[in-house]
Amino acid sequence: MRAGRINLAKEIGQDLLRHKWHLLLALITVSSALLVIVVTQGTRQLTSEYNELMAEQDRLDIEWRHLLLEQNTLMEHSRIETLARDKLGMQRPAPAKEKLVTAR
């Protein structure tokens, strides 16, 4: 019975050698599929990060606009005070000379 036995590993090896192009194409196909999965996952992560950065940019733009408005408001008051002091010769009254006016 030993003489009639077929060495399975040897037969598989010979079969693979006979069909080496098919084996090569199968390996290339599987490798390509895995590469598509990796690239797709990377693209999704980058898209998610891009969306988060765009939201952060929008938030910072809004904050910048508010700061510009605040700066312009503060500059306007100091400009008026400077013009009143320099061009009109006005000055702030002493606290003792201030009078409080109330509405009845």
Side-chain angles (χ1 to χ4, degrees):
M1 215 155 159
R2 267 207 171 314
R5 272 178 132 189
I6 299 173
N7 186 351
L8 186 59
K10 184 179 177 183
E11 285 295 319
I12 291 173
Q14 287 174 352
D15 195 36
L16 287 175
L17 285 177
R18 271 185 258 136
H19 301 288
K20 56 187 164 193
W21 290 111
H22 292 111
L23 178 63
L24 180 63
L25 290 175
L27 288 174
I28 290 172
T29 302
V30 170
S31 299
S32 174
L34 290 174
L35 187 61
V36 166
I37 291 170
V38 168
V39 169
T40 302
Q41 179 63 23
T43 302
R44 286 180 181 158
Q45 286 176 340
L46 288 175
T47 301
S48 174
E49 185 178 336
Y50 174 76
N51 289 336
E52 289 173 8
L53 289 173
M54 291 303 291
E56 178 73 8
Q57 181 183 10
D58 290 343
R59 187 188 65 75
L60 290 173
D61 282 342
I62 291 169
E63 183 179 351
W64 173 253
R65 284 187 217 117
H66 288 141
L67 289 173
L68 283 177
L69 287 172
E70 182 179 347
Q71 180 184 23
N72 289 337
T73 302
L74 292 173
M75 286 174 46
E76 185 176 303
H77 291 295
S78 64
R79 182 174 174 267
I80 291 172
E81 184 180 345
T82 303
L83 287 174
R85 190 176 341 106
D86 296 343
K87 291 194 175 188
L88 301 175
M90 298 175 86
Q91 59 185 357
R92 187 163 188 90
K97 291 185 177 182
E98 288 182 6
K99 292 186 180 182
L100 182 60
V101 178
T102 59
R104 289 187 187 188

